[in-house]
Amino acid sequence: MNDAELPSLASQIGRVAAPLRTQVLDVLREAILTMRFAPGQRLIERELIDLTGVSRTTIREVLRELAAEGLVRTIPQKGAVVVALSVEEAEELYEIREVLEGHLARRFVSHATDGHLVALRRAFTRLENVVESGGGTLEVLRAKDALYDVLLEGAGNSALRTSLSQLHARVSLLRASSLSSDAGRPAQSVQELRGLVEAVEAREAGRAAAAMTAHVRAAAQLGIAAMRDSALQQIV
């Protein structure tokens, strides 16, 4: 961290009508997901206080919440550190994500109302517009989250929602990595999700699940390749 980053973080706090802790949490989460705070980087309380302009108590509460989300680890004698997933951990998470999201697509087709279909199309159009307008990684992730929210609501399975929610933070790290690893990935992602939406609208569960699975596999291929390349560069 350096002093040049101070205005860009502190200026984001206090601009909206939300509890201070919530604002700081959002700002630091964004800094992690956009790689401003790199995987493995120490998050030193004193520096975070300087960066955000809030109290030590607030910073400690936020770090605990980030740890609960799986974005930060607390290491004895070292303190809070941004989670750095190994390639093996990423492969395992993508494998679980593929299974769960394929099932999500199938269940949505069989349980979603016509209203859910309309909401899904609207969420997809929003994502498409964000990507076409050159939105940043975090904006794209938020638009994708909105689409997934519709899928989860329409699927109507609380256990599935809980399972995917538990994976959400760590998967967000992987999604951010895959989106930023290739300039063409956001547009490719839109094309993959268009296939999903069209299959859902046709009420074809098998095609919808296949489209979702292909989407996750494509993200996995790019994300894991980027992780391996980064690890190689560090060795070299």
Side-chain angles (χ1 to χ4, degrees):
M1 297 183 221
N2 56 63
D3 292 340
E5 292 175 317
L6 175 57
S8 59
L9 287 183
S11 63
Q12 296 178 56
I13 298 169
R15 297 188 307 178
V16 296
L20 184 62
R21 187 181 68 175
T22 300
Q23 294 183 57
V24 176
L25 176 63
D26 288 344
V27 167
L28 295 187
R29 184 190 295 115
E30 176 178 347
I32 292 171
L33 294 178
T34 57
M35 307 300 172
R36 170 172 292 186
F37 296 158
Q41 179 176 335
R42 289 183 64 196
L43 298 178
I44 301 171
E45 288 183 4
R46 182 184 66 258
E47 294 181 353
L48 293 177
I49 291 168
D50 291 339
L51 284 169
T52 60
V54 300
S55 70
R56 184 178 299 274
T57 298
T58 298
I59 289 298
R60 288 180 175 175
E61 290 174 347
V62 167
L63 288 176
R64 281 196 293 269
E65 194 151 352
L66 290 172
E69 291 181 6
L71 293 176
V72 167
R73 286 179 180 151
T74 301
I75 300 176
Q77 311 304 321
K78 194 171 184 180
V81 176
V82 177
V83 165
L85 296 175
S86 67
V87 171
E88 292 73 20
E89 287 174 317
E91 288 173 336
E92 290 173 357
L93 286 172
Y94 275 121
E95 182 180 345
I96 295 171
R97 182 184 166 196
E98 183 180 317
V99 172
L100 291 178
E101 293 188 12
H103 180 64
L104 173 64
R106 284 185 179 277
R107 187 170 174 87
F108 185 87
V109 169
S110 61
H111 289 75
T113 65
D114 289 344
H116 288 131
L117 294 186
V118 172
L120 184 67
R121 172 57 71 171
R122 287 175 177 167
F124 171 74
T125 299
R126 167 61 180 159
L127 171 62
E128 188 176 36
N129 290 339
V130 167
V131 172
E132 288 181 352
S133 65
T137 297
L138 193 67
E139 191 176 2
V140 173
L141 285 177
R142 285 173 174 163
K144 289 188 71 175
D145 284 343
L147 186 147
Y148 273 83
D149 284 343
V150 176
L151 289 171
L152 287 166
E153 182 181 343
N157 185 317
S158 59
L160 182 59
R161 177 184 286 275
T162 298
S163 296
L164 284 171
S165 295
Q166 290 172 343
L167 286 174
H168 178 79
R170 301 183 103 192
V171 167
S172 290
L173 284 171
L174 299 176
R175 290 162 68 200
S177 176
S178 67
L179 285 170
S180 60
S181 64
D182 186 331
R185 177 58 192 159
Q188 180 185 346
S189 180
V190 166
Q191 287 297 108
E192 293 159 4
L193 291 172
R194 178 178 287 108
L196 166 69
V197 173
E198 290 175 350
V200 165
E201 290 174 336
R203 296 286 187 177
E204 296 180 9
R207 185 157 68 96
M212 181 66 94
T213 297
H215 171 63
V216 175
R217 286 179 180 172
Q221 183 177 5
L222 278 175
I224 292 173
M227 292 179 71
R228 286 187 171 134
D229 183 59
S230 175
L232 180 62
Q233 289 178 11
Q234 290 176 15
I235 294 172
V236 173

